[in-house]
Amino acid sequence: MPSETLMRVSPFLLDFGVTRVARHTGLDRIGIPVWCAYSPNARSIVVAQGKGLTDDDAKVSAVMEALERAVAGNPSVNTVRTSARRLQESGYMVEKLNCLIGRHKNDIGDDEGIEWALGRELLSGTEIYIPFEAAILDRTRDCRFWMSSDGLACGNTLEEAILHGILERIERDAHVLWQIGNDKDRYSRCIDPRGLQDPALDQLIEKIETAGLVLRLFDMMSDIAIPCFTAILAPGEIHGAADVRFVEVTAGNGAHPSPVRAAIRAVTEAVQSRLTYISGARDDILPETYHAPLPLQTRTAFQAVPAMPAAIAPAFPQSLSQHLHHTLGALREKQIDKVIVLALSDPALPFSVTKIFIPALENPPGGRARRFGNRAVSKAIMS
C-alpha cells in the first residue's frame, strides 16, 4: 500500500536531501493527482514529480523518484579498478556499455584501467562487470557516459525496482521505434481508451474531457510483446487554434504487462507533464521553451481517429514475480541478449534503487556519441 511505503521511507527523506513534498494538483483544472518532492542540493534535478490515481499514489511516486536520483548521485556500490581484458582473463563477463558513451568521448578500451561495478545479468543469472561511471547521476561532475535516469528505478523491494527499471527501458525503446517512419503509420494506431473497459481509466478520461482537454492514446508496442502506450494531451481548441504553444501539448508514456496499467501510466504522465510546465518549477526547462510553437507533426496526432482496441483478455491477479518473469520472457523471445541490473542502494534501507542496462534496446534522445542502435536503424531501413 502507498501509505505503508510512505511510513517506511519518510524517516529517510532528509538524509537523502528531500526537504519538502508538495501537492501540485490544484495548479491545473484537471484534478488528477500530481505531487512533487524537492531536493535543493540535488546532484541532478531539484524537483522530482509523481502521479497516480490517488494522492498517496502520486506522493509516493514523487518521493521514490527523488530517492532514486539521490542514491544514483552517490551509489553505495563496491568497485574495482582494472581493465576489461584483465576481468575477462579472470573469467568474468564484461559489458563496456560503449552504446552509452557521451558525445565527444572515447569508447572504453580493452586495456584501459577504470572503475568497474559488479552487476547481474538477469537472463542467464550470471555476474557481469560494467563501468561504474555509467550508473552515476551526478551533473556536478564531468562524466564519460551519457548521464540519464533511463532505467533508474526505486521500489519497496529489489524485485520491484528491477521490474520498474526494465519496463522503463522497454517503454523508451518502443517510443523511439514508434517515432521512426511516417505520420500515417504512426497515428494509425490510435485507440479509444474507453475500449479497455477499466473504471479507473474511464474516470481519468472523464476528468480530462470535463476540463475541456482532448487526449489521443496510441498503441506503440514494439516487437517486444509488452503493452506500451503514448498519450498526448492538448487544449480542446487544438483543431482550430493557430497559435498553440509547445508547452500546451504534453505527452506521457507507459509500459506494463497489463494493457490497462500501461495506459493509465501514459495518461497520468501526460497530465504530470502538463503540470511540469504550469508550475515552472523544474530546473531543466529553459525559459525559451515557453515561447516555442507547437510542431506541426504533434498537431497532426489529433487528426487521428480513435479505434476500439483489440479484444483484451480478462485480467487475472499476478504477483510481482510473475510480472517480472513474463517481462524477461518477452525480451528473451526477441533474442535480447543482456538485461543487467546494478543495485545502487544500501541493502539496509527500507527501499531499493537499481539501474537497469539493456544495451540492445534503443535509448531516448540525449548527449550520446551514438544516437541510434541496431533496432532503430533496422526499422528505418525497412520503413
Side-chain angles (χ1 to χ4, degrees), residues 184-205:
K184 181 180 179 181
D185 291 340
R186 184 182 309 114
Y187 297 142
S188 66
R189 298 170 67 182
C190 184
I191 69 165
D192 184 343
R194 288 191 170 91
L196 294 174
Q197 301 178 8
D198 179 75
L201 181 57
D202 289 348
Q203 287 181 11
L204 294 176
I205 303 306

Side-chain angles (χ1 to χ4, degrees), residues 242-291:
D243 56 350
V244 179
R245 293 175 299 156
F246 174 83
V247 297
E248 294 179 77
V249 178
T250 57
N253 302 321
H256 195 274
S258 161
V260 168
R261 291 180 67 176
I264 287 174
R265 288 182 176 187
V267 171
T268 54
E269 186 171 274
V271 172
Q272 173 185 285
S273 298
R274 181 176 157 89
L275 269 162
T276 299
Y277 293 125
I278 291 173
S279 67
R282 280 275 293 254
D283 42 325
D284 58 346
I285 299 176
L286 300 175
E288 51 264 33
T289 304
Y290 288 86
H291 302 287

